[in-house]
Amino acid sequence: MRAFSDAWARRALQCRAVRGLQVAWLAGLLWSGAQAMVLVPPVTVVPGMEAPARRSVPTGTWVPVGSGEALSLLRVPRACGSSCALVVVSHPRGQSAAHLRDSASVAVLTAALIHAGFAVLLSGDGGPTSWGSPAGLAGLGEVHARATELFGWSGRTYALGLSMGGLMALRSALPGAPYPVEGVALIDGWVDLRVAWGSALSRREEIMSAYGLSDPPEDLNPAWLARTWGRRPLLVFGSPDDRTVPFARNGEALWLEAADPDVGGLVRLTGGHLGGNRFTADVARQVVVFFRVLEGRR
């Protein structure tokens, strides 16, 4: 009888501890076109207690992760099974994760990645004009940590940066980032913050606001940091015809100065900024092959 009473008391304490968990849980069904999305909030764990089991999210649909300007969208392929790598996609200036989701052009790339078995996170990047800022990167780190708890993540992450998103994609692959990135693909990507700063007054004002500095120093410039910290896997697409992002001073210079020559490549295209030939089945195939080669180097 005494043993039963002790066991019952221990059980009661455990139940009270579980009831004491503060869990922020808001589940809803959101619609965008014909695609359903489920909001998956964070779980707060009381110190000293075991972390909750990894929750799975619906496959084949975009699931919001994070909130506000950090709001991102995660999609897990049905082929993921118990383990798959994650590709984080960073958006162009003035856009958002929702813009990427709704873009038929970007869908060519994301559909190829998902079909190849990669989970895809469309990043909010800390806002529409974050320009790869430390605050934006920190927010992305929190979203990445939350997203990778929601599926069978293999522990490997890759980055794909579009236009302004090139700054965030490259910075996430350098020392000091909140999570490791094994390789970066860039499409018409900004990577040199100083070049962006000097290119237009409107960009300069946005960068000043994003960084909270009147003149961000060189050690916050992803291109300078990449040259300083050695070569890494890069796949770079760009065009000398681009009048928005000077290819010779961004993607091309980065490739020549900081790329691992044994993997990836420099792909010179034609036409203006983010033209249709950046979002073809062939470009998507090259991106997938690049990440698959890196997966094979584990």
Side-chain angles (χ1 to χ4, degrees), residues 236-259:
V236 178
F237 298 87
S239 167
D241 305 324
D242 192 336
R243 296 294 178 262
T244 300
V245 178
F247 183 47
R249 301 182 67 188
N250 284 274
E252 188 172 46
L254 177 71
W255 167 259
L256 295 173
E257 298 171 359

Side-chain angles (χ1 to χ4, degrees), residues 18-264:
V18 170
R19 286 195 300 270
L21 285 176
Q22 295 180 345
V23 179
W25 181 262
L26 176 61
L29 189 65
L30 306 175
W31 288 90
S32 175
Q35 288 187 315
M37 302 187 297
V38 179
L39 185 63
V40 181
V43 174
T44 302
V45 180
V46 173
M49 296 192 67
E50 291 184 2
R54 172 178 283 160
R55 294 193 306 275
S56 62
V57 295
T59 60
T61 189
W62 292 107
V63 177
V65 183
S67 60
E69 292 194 328
L71 180 63
S72 302
L73 296 166
L74 172 68
R75 188 161 184 166
V76 179
R78 292 183 174 87
C80 181
S82 61
S83 178
C84 58
L86 176 68
V87 178
V88 178
V89 184
S90 290
H91 62 73
R93 177 192 189 196
Q95 296 192 17
S96 64
H99 277 97
L100 296 184
R101 178 200 62 206
D102 297 338
S103 167
S105 296
V106 176
V108 174
L109 306 178
T110 57
L113 290 166
I114 292 165
H115 181 73
F118 293 96
V120 174
L121 180 68
L122 304 178
S123 171
D125 286 344
T129 54
S130 61
W131 290 99
S133 68
L137 181 63
L140 177 53
E142 294 175 0
V143 167
H144 180 277
R146 190 177 302 172
T148 52
E149 292 176 348
L150 301 178
F151 68 100
W153 180 49
S154 68
R156 294 175 67 83
T157 299
Y158 304 98
L160 170 59
L162 310 177
S163 191
M164 184 194 75
L167 288 159
M168 187 69 77
L170 179 60
R171 184 63 191 87
S172 71
L174 299 173
Y179 54 87
V181 170
E182 311 297 334
V184 177
L186 301 168
I187 297 177
D188 289 353
W190 282 106
V191 295
D192 195 315
L193 187 66
R194 299 303 304 175
V195 175
W197 170 272
S199 64
L201 180 59
S202 58
R203 295 189 185 110
R204 179 176 299 189
E205 291 173 344
E206 290 172 359
I207 292 168
M208 289 171 60
S209 177
Y211 282 72
L213 298 169
S214 59
D215 189 2
E218 193 75 302
D219 61 8
L220 289 178
N221 184 356
W224 183 85
L225 293 172
R227 290 190 290 267
T228 302
W229 284 330
R231 296 184 176 272
R232 60 203 64 245
L234 296 171
L235 174 62
V236 178
F237 298 87
S239 167
D241 305 324
D242 192 336
R243 296 294 178 262
T244 300
V245 178
F247 183 47
R249 301 182 67 188
N250 284 274
E252 188 172 46
L254 177 71
W255 167 259
L256 295 173
E257 298 171 359
D260 178 348
D262 296 329
V263 64

Side-chain angles (χ1 to χ4, degrees), residues 277-293:
N277 60 349
R278 275 70 159 173
F279 304 98
T280 64
D282 183 57
V283 168
R285 178 191 59 79
Q286 292 180 73
V287 172
V288 167
V289 168
F290 172 58
F291 293 145
R292 277 182 164 170
V293 167

